[in-house]
Amino acid sequence: MNRKSIIAYPYVIWMVLFIVVPILLVFYYGFTVDTGAGAKFSLENFRRFFEPVYLMVLLRSFALAALSTFICLLLGYPLAMILASKDFERKNIMLLLLIVPMWMNFLLRTYAWLTLLEKKGIINSLLSALNLPTINIIYTTKAVVLGMVYNFLPFMVLPIYTVLSKIDKSVIEAAQDLGANSLTTFKKVIFPLSLPGVISGITMVFMPAVTTFVISRLLGGGHYKLIGNLIEQQFLSVYDWNFGSAISIIMMIVILISMGILSKYEEVREGGGLL
Amino acid sequence: MNKKNFTITLLILGIVITLFAGCGKNTDRVTINVYNWGDYIDEDTIRDFEKIYNIRVNYDQFATNEEMYVKIKSGSSKYDVLFPSDYMIERMIEEDLLHKIDLNNIPNYKYIESHFKNLDFDPNNEYSVPYFWGTMGILYNKTMVDEEVDSWKILWDEKYQDEIFMLDSQRDSIGITLKMLGYSLNTIDEDELEKAKEALIEQRPLVLAYVIDEVTDKMVAGEGALAVVWSGDAVAAMRQNPDLDYVIPKEGSNLWFDSMVIPKNSEHKEEAELFINYMCETDVAYRNADYVGYSTPHIEARKKLDPKIRDSEVAYPDMESLDNCEIFHHLGKDLKLYDRIWTDITAR
C-alpha cells in the first residue's frame, strides 16, 4: 500500500460523512413523501415545484443573482486591472482593504447595511443634516442587489486579478509592437486571456447570490422571497423536509447546467481560475 | 479503493463513532438533561438546584419548537425536562411522546393561577406545568399614531403605508388576519383562509417589512408606527422607548403558553418532577420572571415583581378581556394550507 493513499483516508472519511451521506439524505427526502404511515417513493414534490408561484420565485432568484453578478463584473474587472497593473504602487493596501471586510462575519456586514440604509439610519440622518433629500431603498430589491454586490464583490475581483497578473507582459508588448492600440490590445489579447478568471468570478458570485436567504430577508424585509427563503421555510416553519429537499435538488441541477454552459465558453483551460 | 483499504476505512469510521458515543456519563450523581428556549431562564437557579438536590443538570437550548421536536421524535437525544409551546405539547401528546406528570410530586403546582390550568392543549392537566405565557398584539408609537388603536384593521389603513411591520411567520400573520375577519385562528376552512389571503395580499403594499426578532429594535428606533409583536417583546420595547404602547385588539388574538413537560424516553422521571417542582418555587419562579421579563403564571412570584411590571396591562391583562383570544392548535397536515397561502402572498 503506498503512502499517499494512507494520507488520503481522513479526507475520504470526511467526504463520505459530510458530503456523500448528506446528499444521499437530500435525495431520499426529495423523492419520497411522508404518508403518515412511512415514507413512499413519489415525484409529487417535483410536480409541485412547477406551479407558477414557485417558478416565479426561481425566476426572481435568478434575475436578481444575474443582475448582481453583472454589476460585480462591471465594478470588479476595472478594479482587478488597476490592481494588476505594474505601476500601481498602493496595490497591497488596496488588496488588504478589499479583503479586510471579509474577515468580519457575513451576517454582521449585512446587519450593518440595515443600520446604514434604514429610514432613520446613518445615511439618511447625514443627508437630512445636510438638507439633502433622503434615500428610501431599504426593503426594496435595490437594497437586496446592493447587499449582494457588496458581499460578493471580492469573489469577482480576486480571481480576475490573479489571472491578469499572470499574463505574460511580452504578449501585450508584442501586440503593441504590431501596431495595436490599447483598445485592440484589450479586446484581442488581455480580455480573452483573462476569461478563466472571469468565469470563476461569475461562478463564485452567482452561486452564493442565487441561494442566499439572509440578504433577502434582512435587506428585502421579507418582501422578496428567494429560492433560499423558500427552502428555509420548508425546513424550519412548515416542517416539509420532502419538498425542501426537492427544491434543493432542482437548485443543484439548475446550477450544474448553468455551470456547464459557462465552462463551454472557457476556451483556455489553464490559468488562475479558482474552480 | 480495494477491499483491504475499504476495511480499514470502515474500521477508522467505527473507532471515531465509538469515541464520540462514549462521551459524557460517568458520574455517580444523577444527571438530568433539560432542554429550554434560548435565554429563557436565570441560569443561577439551575446551579442552586444542583447544590440543593445533588443532581447534575445538563442544560441545552433550542430556537424553535420544531427543532426541539425533531430531536425528541428521532430519539437521538435523551432529555428529562422540556419547555415546548402549547400547540407543540398538543402534538407531542397526540404522538405519545410525553409522560404523565404526577402532580402529587409537584406540591408547588398550587401556586399556578387557576386560569392557566387545564388548558386546551392539555385539558385534564396531566402532562404539563405552565412556565410563561403571553399574548400577541399591536405595538404602536404614540407620536406617529394619534387615533385610538383597538382593532387589527388599523394595519390595513393606507395612512400608515410603509410604517407597518408584520411578522414573517405564517401561523401568526395569517392568524391575526383570521381574527380580524371574525374567524378562528385555527381554522382549516378553505373559504375563510382564502379571504385571509386576499386581505393579506391587499395589505402587502402598506407593509414596510416582514420581520421576526428585529421588530423590537426597529420599533424602539422609531422606524415604523405599528407592529405585530408578542407581549414579552412589547414589555421590553416599552421599557426602552416610552412613546410605545401595546394593545390587544378587540377582535381577539393569540394566547400562548410555554410549559414544562417530561418526554417519554426520560430515564429520570422522579428527578425531572423534582426539577419542575423546584421551578415552581416562589423564589425561583420570581427570579426567572424577573430575568426573562415574560409573564409568569405563578401567583406568588407575580406579587414579588416590580410593581411597574406586576400591574402592567401589557404583561398581565385582565383575564376577562382575553375571552376571545385563542391558543394555537396543532394542525398536522393542514399546516400546508397555511404554507401555500403564505407563499402565495410573499412570493408574488
Side-chain angles (χ1 to χ4, degrees):
Chain A
M1 207 188 310
N2 70 42
R3 263 231 175 109
K4 270 187 192 158
S5 62
I6 293 179
I7 300 174
Y9 281 134
Y11 301 104
V12 172
I13 293 169
W14 179 270
M15 288 198 295
V16 168
L17 271 183
F18 296 111
I19 298 174
V20 179
V21 173
I23 287 184
L24 287 178
L25 275 176
V26 168
F27 272 81
Y28 170 76
Y29 278 110
F31 283 97
T32 52
V33 284
D34 189 4
T35 55
K40 193 182 89 194
F41 175 81
S42 163
L43 293 174
E44 166 61 23
N45 300 317
F46 293 94
R47 192 202 55 75
R48 186 169 157 205
F49 186 80
F50 287 97
E51 288 171 19
V53 57
Y54 298 116
L55 287 178
M56 190 60 216
V57 177
L58 184 70
L59 198 71
R60 181 186 302 130
S61 304
F62 270 82
L64 283 186
L67 179 63
S68 310
T69 313
F70 182 67
I71 297 175
C72 277
L73 184 62
L74 275 190
L75 293 174
Y77 201 96
L79 178 58
M81 281 187 77
I82 296 172
L83 285 173
S85 67
K86 234 206 310 225
D87 21 83
F88 184 61
E89 286 167 14
R90 301 208 164 70
K91 182 162 86 182
N92 288 334
I93 298 177
M94 273 285 258
L95 265 178
L96 195 70
L97 286 179
L98 191 70
I99 295 171
V100 162
M102 290 169 73
W103 295 349
M104 261 173 280
N105 182 292
F106 163 78
L107 203 60
L108 279 183
R109 279 181 283 147
T110 312
Y111 260 112
W113 272 110
L114 192 59
T115 337
L116 286 172
L117 292 176
E118 271 173 355
K119 282 199 278 183
K120 295 182 181 167
I122 296 172
I123 293 181
N124 278 340
S125 315
L126 225 95
L127 285 175
S128 57
L130 296 170
N131 282 326
L132 292 168
T134 53
I135 47 165
N136 262 323
I137 65 163
I138 187 70
Y139 306 130
T140 64
T141 36
K142 286 184 198 128
V144 178
V145 171
L146 176 70
M148 287 184 182
V149 170
Y150 170 76
N151 274 310
F152 304 132
L153 185 62
F155 297 115
M156 182 64 85
V157 176
L158 294 178
I160 300 178
Y161 160 72
T162 318
V163 175
L164 284 178
S165 56
K166 274 192 195 157
I167 292 177
D168 190 350
K169 292 291 174 290
S170 55
V171 186
I172 296 165
E173 280 158 19
Q176 284 160 349
D177 286 346
L178 291 169
N181 61 23
S182 40
L183 185 67
T184 319
T185 318
F186 177 75
K187 271 200 323 206
K188 298 270 177 189
V189 182
I190 301 178
F191 188 71
L193 283 176
S194 69
L195 261 184
V198 172
I199 304 274
S200 310
I202 290 177
T203 330
M204 293 187 62
V205 172
F206 186 76
M207 282 206 295
V210 82
T211 50
T212 183
F213 62 93
V214 175
I215 298 176
S216 52
R217 186 166 63 215
L218 289 181
L219 299 179
H223 274 295
Y224 304 95
K225 198 137 274 180
L226 300 186
I227 205 88
N229 303 94
L230 198 59
I231 297 175
E232 187 209 12
Q233 184 183 321
Q234 297 310 315
F235 281 91
L236 296 185
S237 56
V238 201
Y239 197 57
D240 189 349
W241 288 23
N242 305 87
F243 188 47
S245 301
I247 307 174
S248 309
I249 294 172
I250 291 171
M251 275 313 279
M252 280 191 254
I253 294 171
V254 173
I255 289 179
L256 269 179
I257 293 173
S258 36
M259 290 305 107
I261 295 171
L262 262 184
S263 64
K264 281 227 157 150
Y265 288 99
E266 189 183 7
E267 288 139 318
V268 196
R269 289 275 165 199
E270 55 198 332
L274 285 172
L275 274 180
Chain B
M1 227 189 306
N2 63 36
K3 233 181 196 168
K4 194 170 159 198
N5 291 0
F6 184 67
T7 327
I8 293 176
T9 316
L10 273 185
L11 212 78
I12 298 176
L13 252 176
I15 292 170
V16 171
I17 290 168
T18 23
L19 270 179
F20 280 117
C23 289
K25 272 191 204 175
N26 39 27
T27 37
D28 38 356
R29 291 201 282 179
V30 175
T31 299
I32 59 168
N33 296 300
V34 176
Y35 202 22
N36 192 358
W37 294 84
D39 205 21
Y40 211 40
I41 199 165
D42 177 354
E43 296 205 20
D44 290 340
T45 58
I46 301 177
R47 250 152 267 142
D48 292 347
F49 174 80
E50 291 183 314
K51 269 184 232 148
I52 298 169
Y53 295 96
N54 194 29
I55 294 171
R56 214 173 80 84
V57 177
N58 206 345
Y59 187 74
D60 280 343
Q61 310 185 8
F62 57 84
T64 65
N65 279 302
E66 284 67 24
E67 178 190 338
M68 180 270 322
Y69 168 82
V70 177
K71 276 205 179 174
I72 303 303
K73 178 84 177 175
S74 69
S76 62
S77 326
K78 287 202 168 140
Y79 286 102
D80 303 293
V81 181
L82 311 169
F83 292 67
S85 307
D86 35 54
Y87 72 97
M88 187 51 76
I89 296 173
E90 188 178 352
R91 177 177 191 177
M92 295 175 88
I93 294 174
E94 223 174 271
E95 298 181 12
D96 196 24
L97 294 172
L98 301 182
H99 262 310
K100 285 193 180 172
I101 294 176
D102 186 352
L103 288 180
N104 294 324
N105 294 338
I106 322 268
N108 291 333
Y109 183 67
K110 63 171 186 264
Y111 295 125
I112 304 290
E113 209 166 310
S114 58
H115 283 105
F116 304 126
K117 293 176 176 172
N118 309 325
L119 294 159
D120 291 3
F121 53 87
D122 184 9
N124 303 319
N125 225 108
E126 294 168 312
Y127 296 94
S128 63
V129 176
Y131 181 59
F132 281 120
W133 67 282
T135 56
M136 174 175 273
I138 300 176
L139 181 70
Y140 65 99
N141 192 319
K142 284 178 279 187
T143 61
M144 297 157 111
V145 181
D146 46 16
E147 59 194 298
E148 195 198 353
V149 181
D150 67 347
S151 159
W152 293 114
K153 291 207 170 76
I154 197 169
L155 299 173
W156 271 259
D157 189 335
E158 284 172 20
K159 246 193 319 197
Y160 301 108
Q161 175 157 24
D162 284 343
E163 301 281 359
I164 298 168
F165 284 109
M166 287 289 283
L167 284 171
D168 189 10
S169 160
Q170 312 177 352
R171 274 307 288 278
D172 298 308
S173 286
I174 298 172
I176 62 150
T177 314
L178 288 166
K179 274 304 204 186
M180 179 188 74
L181 296 169
Y183 306 130
S184 158
L185 49 70
N186 288 307
T187 189
I188 47 167
D189 180 305
E190 295 199 23
D191 286 341
E192 292 178 5
L193 285 167
E194 191 60 30
K195 289 205 184 99
K197 175 176 134 184
E198 278 160 22
L200 281 164
I201 289 174
E202 187 196 312
Q203 183 208 25
R204 215 191 129 178
L206 308 179
V207 175
L208 179 60
Y210 297 90
V211 287
I212 299 189
D213 300 328
E214 315 94 275
V215 65
T216 33
D217 287 346
K218 301 282 160 231
M219 286 303 286
V220 169
E223 283 291 309
L226 297 151
V228 180
V229 298
W230 289 282
S231 51
D233 292 340
V235 171
M238 287 162 66
R239 249 189 245 173
Q240 295 174 63
N241 183 345
D243 289 336
L244 298 176
D245 205 353
Y246 173 85
V247 78
I248 301 168
K250 61 182 181 209
E251 295 99 339
S253 178
N254 167 234
L255 186 64
W256 57 262
F257 294 88
D258 290 329
S259 302
M260 294 175 274
V261 300
I262 304 175
K264 260 254 147 92
N265 65 2
S266 161
E267 283 165 1
H268 304 288
K269 182 163 178 273
E270 234 169 82
E271 286 81 1
E273 286 175 339
L274 211 56
F275 183 80
I276 293 176
N277 188 49
Y278 171 78
M279 283 286 130
C280 294
E281 258 168 42
T282 303
D283 186 52
V284 176
Y286 158 72
R287 276 157 72 191
N288 284 329
D290 187 49
Y291 175 87
V292 177
Y294 277 65
S295 318
T296 176
H298 195 290
I299 304 168
E300 297 301 318
R302 183 183 160 191
K303 285 186 191 153
K304 290 181 78 176
L305 284 170
D306 177 359
K308 258 197 214 145
I309 299 282
R310 187 188 63 203
D311 304 327
S312 135
E313 282 282 309
V314 178
Y316 297 97
D318 184 12
M319 282 328 271
E320 257 110 73
S321 72
L322 299 180
D323 273 354
N324 51 3
C325 288
E326 290 176 272
I327 302 174
F328 278 130
H329 283 296
H330 167 53
L331 294 179
K333 287 274 165 231
D334 295 318
L335 188 59
K336 284 190 184 167
L337 287 172
Y338 281 74
D339 177 52
R340 168 52 58 90
I341 289 179
W342 193 241
T343 309
D344 277 344
I345 295 161
T346 51
R348 56 180 53 223

